[in-house]
Amino acid sequence: MAAPPWRVLRALLKELRYLGPESGHYRRTAAYKYITEQFRKNQVTSEKLCRAQQELLHQASTYLCLLQSVRHHQALHQVYHSKGELSPQQVSQQVGFKLPQQPGGKGWEE
């Protein structure tokens, strides 16, 4: 079963906060106004099946998935592609491994 409309709306608005300006006024954006207007317009008060509401919910869920995927992609891109050339030690630490230590001490130098 699909998520309830209020949960999809809250998640969409959360993603808008992530994308919005740093000033914290995401409620003044055109996207916020459009999304809330569409959810209010397609709200059903009775328990009857409403095709328009189901279509809106499907579109909203799809758009939410897109926004979340873009945000996760940007985070991954920043972690793995922003530093340029890395040493083998840095690469191994980044993926969670440790390089073996070279044997040292007396007797190994020649």
Side-chain angles (χ1 to χ4, degrees):
M1 180 163 180
W6 61 269
R7 187 169 287 167
V8 174
L9 176 63
R10 285 184 62 189
L12 272 172
L13 297 180
K14 184 178 178 183
E15 290 297 321
L16 281 179
R17 277 193 297 262
Y18 288 136
L19 294 176
E22 286 74 25
S23 61
H25 300 292
Y26 72 98
R27 291 183 180 198
R28 295 181 189 162
T29 62
Y32 176 86
K33 291 175 183 175
Y34 178 76
I35 289 171
T36 54
E37 175 187 318
Q38 290 301 309
F39 269 87
R40 285 187 186 127
K41 186 168 84 171
N42 289 300
Q43 205 172 27
V44 176
T45 55
S46 66
E47 290 296 320
K48 65 181 181 177
L49 179 65
C50 180
R51 181 179 279 282
Q53 183 188 27
Q54 296 302 321
E55 288 176 5
L56 174 76
L57 186 59
H58 177 70
Q59 287 178 350
S61 299
T62 304
Y63 188 60
L64 173 63
C65 180
L66 172 72
L67 289 176
Q68 290 173 340
S69 298
V70 166
R71 183 170 48 89
H72 291 302
H73 171 74
Q74 287 174 344
L76 287 172
H77 186 71
Q78 182 131 18
V79 168
Y80 292 107
H81 294 297
S82 65
K83 296 182 175 111
E85 189 69 29
L86 298 176
S87 69
Q89 290 84 10
Q90 291 171 327
V91 172
S92 65
Q93 287 175 351
Q94 201 172 37
V95 295
F97 295 121
K98 279 187 162 180
L99 288 179
Q101 298 295 325
Q102 293 293 327
K106 292 189 174 187
W108 285 94
E109 307 91 28
E110 292 189 27

